[in-house]
Amino acid sequence: MTASLALGRNVKSLRGRDLISIADLSSEELQFIIQTALDFKRRFYAGERIIPVLRGKTLLMIFQKPSTRTRISFEQAMVQLGGYVISLGWKEMQLGRGETIADTARVLSRYVDGVVARVYNHGDLVELAKYAAIPVINALSDKEHPCQIIGDMLTILEKKGRLAGLTIAFVGDGGDNVLHSLLLASAKLGINIKIGTAEGYDPDPEIMKLAMEDANRTGASIEVLRSPEDAVKGADVVYTDVWVSMGQEAEREKRIKDLSRFRVTPELMSLAKSDAIFMHCLPAHRGMEVTDEVIDGPQSVVWDQAENRLHAQKAILALLL
Ligand code: CP
Ligand code: NVA
């Protein structure tokens, strides 16, 4: 499907900026990054595997939690942009022995051109960005996963040919980090969002407030519903994520019990539009938040979604670094 975003072309430069939250971006800037990701993907498939706009630049990646897609797509993105990557676990650095985030940030700024970090506490990323003189990019925190959602918007644009006016249903944990970024991005892009979740699992109120402000401007609607069926009815996209995120293992039993009604099954999918797509940021807990029939079924776009992380990371890195 041919797709492109008319807007976002007036954005001058994002160089030097951090990407801690989708809320850091204006609607135009978000569209500009998505359009740039689409351009990188098209050029890749046209045979330009290496576009060396970051030659001579080094990216440091710090991981406090496991990662497959984010780590590998960022590393490969740097390779395809002609740059270099250093990837370390939090505990391999003096951070693990208590060196402050502020001191670490000051030192890193003397060595590398940007930092990508995956952390437990969102506040640690905010602290890193505060003291770093180089761009800091959120590779997932307990609160948000902005890079995931930039890739996901590319996927939705490719599959549906547009973004504004679509309806996304998110079914599962309403307090999920991926959902928070999805909510903020949808509101900025004029996409309606219906969240089906259990009582006690609503989105972070601060995220809701920010999203509502943007939604009022773009005309997007935001609904939090207690019925998964009501949430998916008429949706263009059905999205879910795990019920137990990294760091929430102690609440595992309770979360599984509380959210068990919010599983994406073929019956649930049948209530969405007939051409609805199914999305999941992965890793999936098959049989828990989604059944095999759905994730392996004809409506699932999860592998394209995973691939698009690569093209989205190239856009993010090329524009910020
Ligand atoms: N979706 C995602 O961020 O996957 P990883 O945890 O494998 O990076
Ligand atoms: N919500 C999940 C996303 C993983 C990419 C987690 O934080 O574990």
Side-chain angles (χ1 to χ4, degrees):
M1 185 172 295
T2 52
S4 90
L5 288 170
L7 288 170
R9 299 212 180 262
N10 302 328
V11 177
K12 289 273 179 306
S13 171
L14 291 166
R15 182 171 292 188
R17 293 266 296 273
D18 298 317
L19 179 54
I20 305 299
S21 165
I22 290 287
D24 296 344
L25 302 167
S26 68
S27 295
E28 283 254 297
E29 288 167 345
L30 179 57
Q31 297 197 51
F32 182 57
I33 302 176
I34 298 163
Q35 181 63 49
T36 305
L38 187 61
D39 293 343
F40 269 117
K41 184 170 183 180
R42 285 185 178 149
R43 289 176 66 179
F44 180 83
Y45 278 100
E48 278 187 280
R49 294 183 66 89
I50 308 282
I51 301 172
V53 292
L54 294 184
R55 187 182 282 136
K57 303 240 177 187
T58 300
L59 176 72
L60 172 71
M61 301 212 289
I62 308 172
F63 284 88
Q64 223 178 17
K65 313 185 204 181
S67 170
T68 297
R69 282 144 286 265
T70 306
R71 178 168 170 171
I72 299 167
S73 60
F74 263 116
E75 291 203 15
Q76 184 63 354
M78 263 324 254
V79 169
Q80 292 183 6
L81 295 173
Y84 188 76
V85 190
I86 302 168
S87 193
L88 292 170
W90 186 274
K91 288 191 176 149
E92 286 174 275
M93 298 175 65
Q94 296 288 11
L95 280 167
R97 291 180 58 247
E99 184 169 17
T100 68
I101 290 172
D103 288 352
T104 303
R106 292 177 179 115
V107 172
L108 299 179
S109 304
R110 304 293 177 104
Y111 295 146
V112 296
D113 301 286
V115 180
V116 165
R118 170 169 287 195
V119 300
Y120 283 102
N121 287 318
H122 188 79
D124 287 349
L125 269 176
V126 175
E127 178 92 349
L128 192 62
K130 182 174 168 194
Y131 290 99
I134 50 177
V136 174
I137 298 168
N138 181 354
L140 182 147
S141 67
D142 56 344
K143 196 167 177 185
E144 268 201 66
H145 198 1
C147 301
Q148 174 72 49
I149 292 308
I150 290 170
D152 293 348
M153 288 299 164
L154 169 60
T155 305
I156 297 171
L157 180 63
E158 284 181 327
K159 301 292 176 190
K160 295 283 163 198
R162 65 191 175 114
L163 293 174
L166 293 174
T167 298
I168 300 179
F170 181 96
V171 178
D173 173 12
D176 184 71
N177 44 8
V178 171
L179 169 62
H180 284 158
S181 294
L182 181 65
L183 190 48
L184 291 170
S186 298
K188 281 191 190 292
L189 297 169
I191 301 171
N192 307 310
I193 184 159
K194 298 198 286 175
I195 300 160
T197 193
E199 218 167 317
Y201 291 83
D202 285 352
D204 179 298
E206 192 194 322
I207 299 271
M208 272 299 259
K209 185 172 163 280
L210 289 171
M212 289 304 291
E213 284 168 15
D214 276 323
N216 287 336
R217 194 172 41 76
T218 62
S221 66
I222 301 175
E223 289 175 84
V224 179
L225 303 159
R226 296 291 170 237
S227 149
E229 290 81 13
D230 289 345
V232 302
K233 226 167 267 169
D236 298 285
V237 177
V238 177
Y239 200 122
T240 192
D241 187 13
V242 292
W243 295 340
V244 185
S245 284
M246 292 179 277
Q248 297 176 332
E249 290 77 7
E251 303 164 22
R252 186 183 156 83
E253 298 313 317
K254 179 172 166 38
R255 292 181 148 270
I256 293 172
K257 190 166 147 272
D258 293 348
L259 294 168
S260 59
R261 281 192 303 124
F262 297 88
R263 175 172 298 124
V264 182
T265 60
E267 295 71 44
L268 194 69
M269 278 305 291
S270 73
L271 301 175
K273 282 199 182 141
S274 57
D275 63 350
I277 55 172
F278 170 75
M279 299 182 76
H280 192 310
C281 58
L282 305 177
H285 287 94
R286 288 168 172 261
M288 204 182 283
E289 73 274 5
V290 60
T291 64
D292 285 338
E293 298 98 297
V294 173
I295 198 168
D296 296 328
Q299 287 167 285
S300 173
V301 299
V302 298
W303 313 122
D304 291 333
Q305 187 184 355
E307 175 188 335
N308 281 342
R309 297 294 307 278
L310 169 64
H311 307 294
Q313 319 297 35
K314 283 187 279 187
I316 293 164
L317 292 170
L319 292 172
L320 269 53
L321 265 56

